[in-house]
Amino acid sequence: MSNTTQYKLVYFNLRTLGEPIRMLFKYMQIQFEDVRIDPAEWQGQVRTSCKWLKVPELHTTDSNGKTYCLTQTSAICRYLANSYPTFELMPTDPLDQARCDMIVDAVQDFRMRMKPYIVAKYFDPEGCSKLSQLKKELLDDEFWIYLKNMDQILEEERGDFICGEKVRWADFFLANFTAIWEEIFDDENLLKAYENLKKQQQAVESLPKIQEWIKQREYTKI
Ligand SMILES: N[C@@H](CCC(=O)N[C@@H](CS)C(=O)NCC(=O)O)C(=O)O
């Protein structure tokens, strides 16, 4: 991969699915254009200009001027990890690769499950009335199973990260979402019973380049 490749990330002014990609760029110190769409402008031409009517999109231009538009967050993350092997963000062991995919897919499943709660909390002016019931349904039902299973996957490894002592691409994804979950449920003790998840989040946030990025980035609720 040429280091003259240019990157443009298109996403909303949110952390959610854009942030794991931004963190990868920041960790590897690779320049990228961080385009943030105003949600008010999303409907209409901005939306239809997106290949699959969804963001994130990663536009790349290589040193020969060839351009690509990549979609699907985990595909973009894996592409970046594979493009710069010196950072060892893509594990070589197939089991570790599966561990990364398993965690990221579980987070994505739960993200979909949470959508009604997020819409009620942040995007529906009348959502307040439904919020406590939706929160109860999520927390009483599946959420703890997801947290417990992910915590156990981390427990199997002797290190702070998903695959042990070395940070991998999926670590940015997981740490981003556990931090968001603590905030959207207004509960800084959400991970108290899931020590391995908390340790993983803190290990990612303590990486010097990530620490620097967290200090400088604009705060967004999700
Ligand atoms: N599977 C896709 C999901 C992308 C997605 O759902 N993006 C949302 C933002 S988080 C979006 O574009 N929503 C606007 C819409 O659906 O109109 C991925 O992982 O990138």
Side-chain angles (χ1 to χ4, degrees), residues 171-187:
D171 283 296
F172 300 99
F173 199 99
L174 177 61
N176 175 54
F177 276 95
T178 54
I180 289 176
W181 292 341
E182 286 173 325
E183 288 181 47
I184 64 179
F185 288 125
D186 301 307
D187 184 358

Side-chain angles (χ1 to χ4, degrees), residues 20-28 77 80 89 169 172:
I21 304 169
R22 295 187 192 111
M23 283 174 155
L24 281 169
F25 279 127
K26 293 292 170 180
Y27 179 76
M28 297 192 286
C77 290
L80 290 175
L89 291 171
W169 70 271
F172 300 99

Side-chain angles (χ1 to χ4, degrees), residues 76-94:
I76 294 171
C77 290
R78 280 192 293 262
Y79 162 78
L80 290 175
N82 280 323
S83 298
Y84 299 93
T86 50
F87 291 96
E88 297 178 19
L89 291 171
M90 177 58 75
T92 47
D93 176 8

